[in-house]
Amino acid sequence: MTERRSRAAPAVRAPRRAALAAGALATGAGLLLGGCGHSSANSASAGDGARRATPPAQAPAGGTAQAPEATTFARLKGAPRDTEPGRSTGGLVVHPAKPVPVLDKPGGRTVATLPTQELGGPTWVPVVQSSGDWRRVLLPSRPNRASGWISGTTEGLLTAHTPYTVRVDLSQRRLTLLKSGKAAGSWTVAVGGAKTPTPTGRTFLLADLAPAKKTPSPLVLPLGTHSATLDTFGGGPGTVALHGWPDRSVFGKAVTHGCVRVPQDALRSLAKVPLGSLVFIDA
């Protein structure tokens, strides 16, 4: 059985664990790792597991009858693109206690619904812009860099601040973890190959999955971004993730299907990072 490490955004200590529901198993760590190069430590063929992903039907939320849920499986129409992919924020993240309408602009048209859960765990998304009572948040759906506006006065909308950000330098093949703007660790990592590159831009830590089978990684950290060249990873939706890898020879190389493979000590540090924390991926 696959497990989820359930944690609210402000938490930095080891969270409690809970079993994933049956529906979440289909989107769990096994599907993410299956396409990130699990079959071969040095393989990055675009043909490995590449096929069209079929998003599951989404149940409409109250008040947003035709709006799709903004999940890692969805492809949204009309969601504004993140125009400042390199800009840092103050670390504000939000969690909807109930489904929240996502608009294309403050007071505009509903383009999606932000659900209470993502991949079986709580939804936490980063706020990247504010306008009065409106909050612009990043979304985990295709197309990459999708964003939308939610009302900051929504009943039950929880807020928190995370001190952590993650930066991945693809050219240097290096991941740096920052806490309150100061480096808390830096590691050489493996990134996407030439035909299956790791997508660049501003994204966030979407979920925290602990597979029952600890190899190749005891922890998988899906991000709110997807492969630009593969529609699916091993049956999943092509979600890019941070995860460990047992063969240290891959670090410093561009050999994955888009995921970022990290050493075990890096994975232990990343396990402390709250959901919703920003992840910057630079070319």
Side-chain angles (χ1 to χ4, degrees):
M1 179 179 292
T2 305
E3 292 185 334
R4 166 174 56 85
R5 291 163 56 90
S6 175
R7 52 196 171 99
V12 294
R13 294 188 294 272
R16 63 182 179 85
R17 294 190 177 191
L20 277 172
L25 286 171
T27 64
L31 293 182
L32 293 172
L33 282 174
C36 280
H38 188 185
S39 60
S40 170
N42 295 306
S43 171
S45 170
D48 293 348
R51 60 178 176 81
R52 297 296 301 183
T54 303
Q58 303 291 349
T64 56
Q66 302 302 317
E69 286 190 332
T71 71
T72 191
F73 285 96
R75 183 179 292 274
L76 304 179
K77 295 182 179 180
R81 182 179 173 86
D82 180 19
T83 57
E84 298 183 280
R87 182 174 174 269
S88 297
T89 70
L92 179 63
V93 292
V94 295
H95 166 67
K98 62 181 181 179
V100 175
V102 180
L103 281 57
D104 61 351
K105 61 183 179 180
R109 181 173 60 91
T110 299
V111 295
T113 301
L114 188 65
T116 61
Q117 289 195 329
E118 300 279 357
L119 292 173
T123 296
W124 284 95
V125 292
V127 174
V128 295
Q129 186 180 352
S130 294
S131 178
D133 290 332
W134 293 91
R135 305 289 180 261
R136 187 174 186 173
V137 298
L138 297 186
L139 302 174
S141 309
R142 293 181 187 267
N144 285 347
R145 301 187 190 178
S147 70
W149 292 86
I150 63 174
S151 173
T153 61
T154 299
E155 182 181 358
L157 187 68
L158 304 181
T159 63
H161 284 81
T162 168
Y164 288 95
T165 56
V166 178
R167 289 195 173 271
V168 179
D169 186 324
L170 298 180
S171 63
Q172 298 296 317
R173 295 160 194 172
R174 193 156 196 85
L175 181 149
T176 301
L177 175 63
L178 298 103
K179 183 177 182 182
S180 301
K182 298 180 179 180
S186 187
W187 302 268
T188 300
V189 297
V191 299
K195 294 183 178 180
T196 54
T198 302
T200 60
R202 179 169 61 172
T203 184
F204 62 98
L205 187 63
L206 174 66
D208 185 343
L209 304 175
K213 185 178 179 181
K214 305 305 180 185
T215 301
S217 181
L219 181 65
V220 180
L221 303 173
L223 304 179
T225 191
H226 299 77
S227 169
T229 56
L230 299 180
D231 291 296
T232 180
F233 285 160
T239 307
V240 169
L242 309 177
H243 61 77
W245 201 255
D247 181 2
R248 296 186 62 85
S249 69
V250 304
F251 300 132
K253 299 177 181 179
V255 295
T256 81
H257 286 139
C259 289
V260 179
R261 302 177 191 167
V262 306
Q264 289 304 308
D265 55 340
L267 194 63
R268 286 191 292 270
S269 293
L270 290 168
K272 302 176 183 178
V273 178
L275 301 182
S277 296
L278 285 174
V279 177
F280 296 90
I281 303 176
D282 302 317

